[in-house]
Amino acid sequence: MTKIITIDGPSGSGKGTISQRLANHFGWHFLDSGALYRLLGLAVNRQGIGYDEVARVVEIAETMSVEFVGERVLLEGDDVTDTIRTETAGNNASKVAAIPQVRAALLAWQHDYAKPPGLVADGRDMGSVVFPDAMLKVFLTASAEERAKRRYKQLKEKGLDVNVRELTVEIKERDQRDMNRSVAPLVAAEGALVLDSTSLSIEEVLNLVLQEAGKRL
Ligand code: DC
């Protein structure tokens, strides 16, 4: 059976960095499930479809052409690596992600990532819904203010024009939407190791997760 570690948590908790580092450490596959929702949000926008047109949104989820080429992400052959990382793209992702039929449509796609020797899956419902039998489930969180500060730094480094106060408001809004939706809400999976990274460094979080993984490998 493929070994799977799931890392779930809110935006800015550090789960992307931790997941990528873990996947590199073990030489395992990596699933950035948020990217799939971000890509879908963008594809829907580009086609001028409303998020309430569920059947059409699902059709796009089932047919859109996505390629991961090294660090780059292509949507219908177009390089959208930076476009899907904006706050607007994150908010649009969170809107399509609230549609139950969309989540169902993306399930098989996500399951395909579970291949030997192992998988690190990053998202909101990786441990609770998509990979409930994962060997280790982590729920990584941090205060909204700390997460906004981290996002601010990341986006600034990319040369994007952002404001920390607006980011905090957006992060809180997105948390509310992700936590209160009817399907697969953002919650710690049963049996998850809950880590609050507010005052921990990336290395400290990584070490705690590696320690826990070591007990189960
Ligand atoms: O992790 P992220 O910020 O790239 O995710 C963008 C949005 O996608 C997030 O606000 C909620 C949604 N999402 C989800 O509902 N389930 C996942 N497994 C991953 C992301």
Side-chain angles (χ1 to χ4, degrees):
M1 212 171 76
T2 307
K3 295 187 175 77
I4 301 176
I5 298 179
T6 59
I7 314 276
D8 290 306
S11 161
S13 59
K15 66 192 164 60
T17 311
I18 296 292
S19 305
Q20 184 76 70
R21 294 271 302 264
L22 277 174
N24 291 346
H25 175 90
F26 291 117
W28 290 0
H29 300 280
F30 172 54
L31 166 61
D32 173 2
S33 61
L36 304 184
Y37 290 98
R38 285 171 183 265
L39 284 158
L40 180 59
L42 180 62
V44 167
N45 247 353
R46 284 191 168 175
Q47 298 210 20
I49 293 167
Y51 296 121
D52 52 345
E53 298 178 62
V54 173
R56 296 185 69 190
V57 175
V58 170
E59 192 188 326
I60 296 178
E62 286 168 345
T63 55
M64 66 180 179
S65 150
V66 170
E67 288 165 86
F68 291 92
V69 186
E71 305 258 288
R72 314 305 297 173
V73 189
L74 310 184
L75 174 63
E76 309 299 339
D78 183 21
D79 188 335
V80 295
T81 315
D82 298 327
T83 317
I84 61 163
R85 290 296 151 204
T86 63
E87 290 309 293
T88 308
N91 281 319
N92 291 340
S94 156
K95 287 177 196 158
V96 289
I99 307 171
Q101 294 93 324
V102 162
R103 305 198 70 85
L106 294 185
L107 210 53
W109 190 355
Q110 297 176 84
H111 285 158
D112 283 347
Y113 279 81
K115 290 196 191 106
L119 171 71
V120 180
D122 159 358
R124 301 290 188 292
D125 61 342
M126 297 295 98
S128 54
V129 176
V130 182
F131 300 111
D133 299 325
M135 159 190 116
L136 172 61
K137 301 175 188 180
V138 177
F139 189 80
L140 191 58
T141 184
S143 72
E145 287 72 19
E146 175 63 24
R147 290 187 281 125
K149 266 193 244 160
R150 292 176 189 172
R151 285 296 286 159
Y152 176 80
K153 231 178 117 214
Q154 266 181 356
L155 295 170
K156 270 281 178 209
E157 277 164 12
K158 286 189 185 158
L160 296 168
D161 185 25
V162 279
N163 165 316
V164 81
R165 212 167 325 134
E166 275 172 25
L167 275 176
T168 311
V169 172
E170 278 177 14
I171 277 192
K172 286 185 178 166
E173 270 175 21
R174 184 127 72 95
D175 283 355
Q176 283 308 313
R177 189 167 336 108
D178 292 346
M179 288 189 297
N180 295 319
R181 66 181 174 219
S182 60
V183 277
L186 172 65
V187 282
E190 214 185 300
L193 168 71
V194 179
L195 290 176
D196 184 334
S197 75
T198 307
S199 50
L200 296 177
S201 68
I202 301 264
E203 297 305 324
E204 286 170 320
V205 174
L206 192 62
N207 284 335
L208 287 169
V209 178
L210 281 173
Q211 247 175 39
E212 204 57 39
K215 292 182 201 162
R216 302 164 194 227
L217 273 170

